[in-house]
Amino acid sequence: MDATAINGAGPARSAASITLEDIGKTYPDGTVAVGDFSLEVRAGELTVLIGPSGCGKSTILRMINRLIEPTHGRILIDGEDILQRNPVELRRHIGYVIQNVGLFPHQNIRTNIGTVPRLLGWPKAKINSRADELLELVGLDPARYAKRYPHELSGGQRQRVGVARALAADPLVLLMDEPFSAVDPIARGRLQEEFLRLQAAVRKTIVLVTHDIDEAVRLGDRIAVLAEGGRLLQYAPPAELLSRPDSTAVSDFVGSDRGIRRLAVTPLKPAMTPAGAGTTTGDRPTVGAGGTLYDALAAMLAVDAAEVVVVDGEQAVGVITRTSIFEVPEAEAKV
């Protein structure tokens, strides 16, 4: 993709760093939504903001695209102070995905996706081509879905279209406010899988707000845990957060079952014994080589098995036992 700089010029690239320097928001009645908040989001990474209701995570997100103006502080995208930019022009170069999608009901899907490119003056043929490219990228056949209207799609499909629309002008930054919370658990899991695949392909800088620690652990490269007033309690990769919480408050928030959650970010290799020549799955459960120790344990528990065979395609490449899963040290988790 031909990425566009935040100011519409400059060399092509796919992502930009975000720097929040002591930003805060105090409302006229004296309510402090966010105190002094600082964070560095690396280019191409997905950072999750998580915390209890009222901790300011959505306010922080909206300050990044200036839907809410900060009371003080600086916000830099790719080193540029966005508070010096025209906010409307700025938002056209930042993707934004919200919980209820917000598609225009009177426009078909292709037209919905092309909203920002039209505002930027792209030619019609380029807009349509880009919309079809993105439909394919999010797993929707353009021939089948491009001319449909939002009410003809499921909630999960509408959410995919929302992501495609946010990516239409190839922004360097993508902001997501609880994007998957309005769909049922099964659809949410599938959307998360699709989104991980999508992010692996496009490598945008993403800031995602969620209240779901499992979603944060599954999606995030780094997780920022917030307390009331936008106070930052800890900012770390998922495995580090789960294995070494900085405080009792963080430990309580991530839950007493954080050891199980850590399995979800730990690869299979540390617990795997290589398969010998001629090893077959037999009647034993299997798990794909790209899975995690959580996947392996779930496969065993589903049929009350003592071990699982790791497969790459149709070939058995290793065996994992229940005992070996719990012998893996914390240092082997993805950090």
Side-chain angles (χ1 to χ4, degrees):
M1 286 187 234
D2 186 17
T4 306
I6 196 68
N7 59 2
R13 56 205 188 281
S14 63
S17 62
I18 303 173
T19 303
L20 308 179
E21 295 182 352
D22 298 319
I23 63 168
K25 180 62 180 180
T26 302
Y27 289 99
D29 65 357
T31 300
V32 179
V34 178
D36 294 310
F37 183 83
S38 297
L39 197 73
E40 182 72 33
V41 180
R42 299 179 183 179
E45 286 196 352
L46 194 160
T47 289
V48 177
L49 304 182
I50 191 168
S53 297
C55 70
K57 51 188 184 292
S58 291
T59 300
I60 292 168
L61 194 77
R62 292 168 190 164
M63 285 195 282
I64 295 174
N65 67 358
R66 297 184 64 188
L67 286 174
I68 294 177
E69 292 290 342
T71 307
H72 58 79
R74 292 206 309 163
I75 301 172
L76 308 176
I77 296 182
D78 214 24
E80 178 186 3
D81 187 349
I82 67 167
L83 299 181
Q84 306 303 315
R85 293 285 313 284
N86 178 288
V88 175
E89 178 66 19
L90 171 73
R91 290 182 205 119
R92 292 177 181 174
H93 296 283
I94 295 178
Y96 189 46
V97 184
I98 58 175
Q99 179 177 336
N100 293 313
V101 189
L103 299 179
F104 301 118
H106 60 288
Q107 295 180 353
N108 67 31
I109 298 309
R110 181 181 283 145
T111 305
N112 261 287
I113 293 173
T115 299
V116 173
R118 279 197 306 277
L119 293 172
L120 294 175
W122 289 22
K124 184 176 180 180
K126 182 179 178 181
I127 293 172
N128 290 341
S129 175
R130 177 64 171 162
D132 290 353
E133 173 194 355
L134 286 167
L135 280 171
E136 290 183 354
L137 195 63
V138 299
L140 297 174
D141 180 7
R144 183 178 179 186
Y145 293 100
K147 294 186 178 180
R148 291 190 181 185
Y149 287 82
H151 72 273
E152 299 177 289
L153 273 58
S154 69
Q157 290 169 338
R158 288 195 296 271
Q159 203 65 51
R160 292 186 188 197
V161 173
V163 173
R165 184 174 65 178
L167 291 172
D170 207 8
L172 300 179
V173 169
L174 183 61
L175 307 179
M176 308 184 77
D177 197 349
E178 301 202 43
F180 309 128
S181 61
V183 296
D184 65 82
I186 294 176
R188 182 161 61 246
R190 291 173 181 166
L191 279 171
Q192 290 168 350
E193 289 177 7
E194 286 294 319
F195 184 68
L196 285 172
R197 177 192 61 79
L198 180 65
Q199 172 62 351
V202 300
R203 297 310 302 177
K204 296 297 179 183
T205 303
I206 300 173
V207 182
L208 183 147
V209 165
T210 183
H211 64 278
D212 184 344
I213 185 64
D214 290 319
E215 180 169 81
V217 168
R218 185 177 192 182
L219 298 182
D221 293 305
R222 294 176 184 272
I223 301 173
V225 181
L226 280 64
E228 185 176 356
R231 291 186 298 111
L232 181 63
L233 298 179
Q234 188 168 354
Y235 183 42
E240 180 181 334
L241 185 75
L242 294 172
S243 61
R244 296 187 294 278
D246 275 352
S247 64
T248 301
V250 174
S251 179
D252 289 345
F253 185 80
V254 299
S256 58
D257 58 348
R258 62 182 183 274
I260 296 296
R261 288 193 173 102
R262 184 175 60 84
L263 297 180
V265 291
T266 306
L268 299 172
K269 187 175 180 181
M272 185 176 74
T273 301
T279 297
T280 61
T281 60
D283 59 357
R284 293 174 293 182
T286 62
V287 62
T292 65
L293 293 185
Y294 183 93
D295 299 324
L297 182 60
M300 290 183 213
L301 294 177
V303 295
D304 195 23
E307 60 184 26
V308 64
V309 179
V310 181
V311 294
D312 187 356
E314 296 183 357
Q315 181 180 1
V317 296
V319 176
I320 294 175
T321 66
R322 289 194 192 189
T323 301
S324 66
I325 286 177
F326 296 107
E327 288 178 345
V328 175
E330 293 180 349
E332 297 289 350
K334 296 178 184 176
V335 180

